[in-house]
C-alpha cells in the first residue's frame, strides 16, 4: 500500500512493510542513488546488528549516509579526512556538493603517522590532490589541502577540528564497516563520537 504526495522537487511516501529496514530497502531497489539516515545513538552490539540503520547500511544497493546532527547554524567550513580508501571518494563528492550549495570552504585532510622529509611530504600532497581530482575531475577553488602529523588518524582529525571551527565533517567508511558490533568500523565510529560538530559518515555502493 502506497500514498504519494507530489512536490516540485521532492515528494513524501508512506508505505507498509514487515519492518522499517525492509520498507526502506524495498524503496531503494528503484532508482535511489543515496539513502540518508540519522545516527542511531550509542547502542549495545546485540541491538546494533538488527537496527534499521545497520541493516540498510549493509544491504542497500545505493550509497548510504548516516548523519550525526549536533546542530547546524549555517555550513561555512567542511572537513573531509582523506585516507585514499574506496569510500573516501564519496565523502569528497558529497562534501563538494554540500559546500557548493552553501558556498562553504572545504578542507581535505591527510593524516601522516610517520616523520617525513620535504620530498615525502610533497608526495603525500600530490596523492591527496589526486584523490580529489579522481572524484571531481579537478581540485575546485573552494578546496584547501592540508597535511598533519599525528600518532594516529583519530588524534590527527580531532586535533584539526579543535584547531579550526568546522560545521560539518564528512567521513568515508573504514574497511571494517561490515562489522556487526560497530556501525562503520571502530575508527570511523570513534571519530563521530569524539568530534564536537555534526558528522556525516558515508558508505559508497560497490556494484557487482
Amino acid at each position: 500500500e502506497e500514498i504519494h504526495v507530489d512536490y516540485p522537487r521532492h515528494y513524501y511516501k508512506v508505505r507498509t512493510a514487515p519492518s522499517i529496514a525492509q520498507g526502506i530497502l524495498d524503496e531503494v531497489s528503484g532508482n535511489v542513488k543515496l539513502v540518508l539516515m540519522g545516527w542511531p545513538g550509542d547502542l549495545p552490539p546485540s541491538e546494533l546488528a538488527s537496527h534499521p540503520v545497520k541493516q540498510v547500511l549493509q544491504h542497500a544497493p545505493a550509497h548510504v549516509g548516516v548523519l550525526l546532527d549536533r546542530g547546524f547554524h549555517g555550513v561555512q567550513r567542511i572537513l573531509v579526512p582523506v585516507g585514499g580508501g574506496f569510500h573516501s571518494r564519496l565523502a569528497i563528492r558529497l562534501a563538494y556538493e554540500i559546500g557548493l550549495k552553501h558556498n562553504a570552504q572545504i578542507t581535505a585532510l591527510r593524516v601522516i603517522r610517520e616523520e617525513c622529509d620535504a620530498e615525502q611530504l610533497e608526495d603525500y600532497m600530490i596523492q591527496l590532490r589526486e584523490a580529489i581530482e579522481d572524484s571531481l575531475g579537478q581540485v575546485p577553488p573552494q578546496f584547501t589541502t592540508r597535511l598533519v602529523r599525528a600518532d594516529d588518524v583519530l588524534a590527527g582529525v580531532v586535533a584539526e577540528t579543535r584547531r579550526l571551527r568546522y560545521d560539518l565533517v564528512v567521513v568515508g567508511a573504514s574497511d571494517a564497516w561490515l562489522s556487526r558490533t560497530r556501525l562503520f568500523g571502530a575508527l570511523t565510529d570513534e571519530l563521530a563520537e569524539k568530534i564536537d560538530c555534526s558528522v556525516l559518515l558515508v558508505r559508497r555502493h560497490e556494484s557487482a
Side-chain angles (χ1 to χ4, degrees):
E1 179 182 350
E2 299 180 357
I3 302 172
H4 295 267
V5 181
D6 292 324
Y7 290 87
R9 294 180 60 87
H10 61 273
Y11 67 89
Y12 295 91
K13 177 184 284 188
V14 177
R15 66 183 303 157
T16 57
S19 68
I20 294 174
Q22 190 58 54
I24 296 172
L25 292 171
D26 289 344
E27 184 68 23
V28 175
S29 63
N31 296 319
V32 174
K33 302 298 183 184
L34 172 67
V35 181
L36 181 61
M37 306 185 74
W39 186 263
D42 186 15
L43 299 176
S46 59
E47 295 182 21
L48 178 62
S50 60
H51 193 279
V53 172
K54 186 64 173 179
Q55 291 294 309
V56 171
L57 182 64
Q58 289 185 313
H59 301 295
H63 304 321
V64 179
V66 179
L67 178 66
L68 175 54
D69 182 2
R70 291 196 170 100
F72 286 99
H73 304 285
V75 179
Q76 298 179 339
R77 293 192 183 95
I78 301 172
L79 177 66
V80 189
V82 179
F86 177 77
H87 303 285
S88 65
R89 293 186 179 185
L90 177 60
I92 292 169
R93 166 59 65 178
L94 289 178
Y96 171 72
E97 297 289 349
I98 296 169
L100 200 62
K101 179 73 173 178
H102 296 274
N103 195 28
Q105 293 297 309
I106 304 165
T107 299
L109 179 74
R110 175 71 182 269
V111 178
I112 302 170
R113 291 178 290 179
E114 67 272 1
E115 296 294 339
C116 297
D117 57 26
E119 184 176 350
Q120 290 172 313
L121 288 174
E122 184 178 354
D123 289 341
Y124 277 123
M125 181 59 75
I126 291 173
Q127 293 171 12
L128 178 56
R129 294 182 67 86
E130 285 178 346
I132 300 171
E133 290 172 354
D134 287 345
S135 300
L136 304 176
Q138 62 173 331
V139 180
Q142 61 267 48
F143 266 78
T144 298
T145 50
R146 178 171 167 78
L147 304 176
V148 299
R149 167 72 179 88
D151 292 334
D152 57 67
V153 174
L154 177 63
V157 176
V158 171
E160 175 63 18
T161 61
R162 292 173 180 171
R163 182 191 72 87
L164 192 63
R165 183 178 180 84
Y166 289 95
D167 303 296
L168 177 66
V169 178
V170 186
V171 186
S174 68
D175 292 337
W177 70 270
L178 281 169
S179 165
R180 291 176 60 84
T181 59
R182 305 288 295 193
L183 189 60
F184 278 87
L187 172 60
T188 319
D189 284 13
E190 284 185 47
L191 280 174
E193 292 162 2
K194 294 194 174 183
I195 292 173
D196 294 332
C197 65
S198 296
V199 182
L200 175 62
L201 298 103
V202 298
R203 187 271 287 166
R204 181 182 172 192
H205 174 55
E206 183 176 15
S207 63

